[in-house]
Amino acid sequence: MHYFRNINNEALRKICTIIKEHIHADAFSITDKLHVLAYVGIDEALYNVENKEINYSTKDALLKNEILINNDTLKNDHRNLKSSIIIPFDDRNGVKGTLKIYFNTALC
C-alpha cells in the first residue's frame, strides 16, 4: 500500500479507515508504545488530539505482547463502545505498538 511510504497522521488515519471498513468495526486505531497515533470511528473527537496517551488495557497488551480482548467491559473515555480487541505488533527489535478494533456491542 502506498500509505506506508510516507507515514504521517493523514496516512495513518486513511489506513485505519480502510481497515475499519473492511472488517466492519465501529472504530479502529493505531498506537505506538505511548500514544494513540490515529483513530477513526465512534467517539472520534475524543482521540484525535495530539499526544493522547494509551490506556491501561493497551499498556497491558504491550507489556505482555499478547492479544487482549475486552468483551463488554470498556470504560475510560469509551462512551459508545462496548468491546475491543487489542493486537500488539512488533518487528525484530520488539513490540512497536498496537492495532485496536472496537465494537459498540459485546463480542459473541
Side-chain angles (χ1 to χ4, degrees):
M1 282 173 91
H2 67 280
Y3 300 110
F4 288 105
R5 290 189 193 127
N6 296 312
I7 297 295
N8 59 33
N9 185 265
E10 182 181 335
L12 289 172
R13 287 181 47 76
K14 187 68 171 173
I15 292 165
C16 286
T17 299
I18 291 167
I19 295 171
K20 179 182 114 24
E21 290 173 358
H22 185 72
I23 63 174
H24 306 288
D26 295 303
F28 189 89
S29 70
I30 299 173
T31 76
D32 62 14
K33 293 193 285 188
L34 301 173
H35 299 101
V36 177
L37 301 176
Y39 179 101
V40 296
I42 293 176
D43 292 335
E44 193 167 322
L46 296 171
Y47 290 91
N48 287 322
V49 295
E50 224 172 293
N51 297 320
K52 175 76 174 170
E53 290 187 24
I54 60 173
N55 62 25
Y56 175 78
S57 294
T58 306
K59 290 176 186 176
D60 192 38
L62 287 166
L63 181 65
K64 295 176 180 175
N65 195 17
E66 293 179 356
I67 295 173
L68 179 63
I69 298 172
N70 294 307
N71 192 21
D72 204 22
T73 58
L74 290 184
K75 292 174 179 50
N76 300 316
D77 294 332
H78 301 287
R79 296 178 184 153
N80 299 305
L81 296 167
K82 301 276 188 230
S83 303
S84 69
I85 303 170
I86 304 171
I87 306 165
F89 63 87
D90 57 20
D91 64 14
R92 63 179 157 237
N93 297 316
V95 178
K96 297 297 181 192
T98 66
L99 304 176
K100 298 177 72 175
I101 306 165
Y102 299 93
F103 299 96
N104 65 3
T105 58
L107 301 170
C108 295

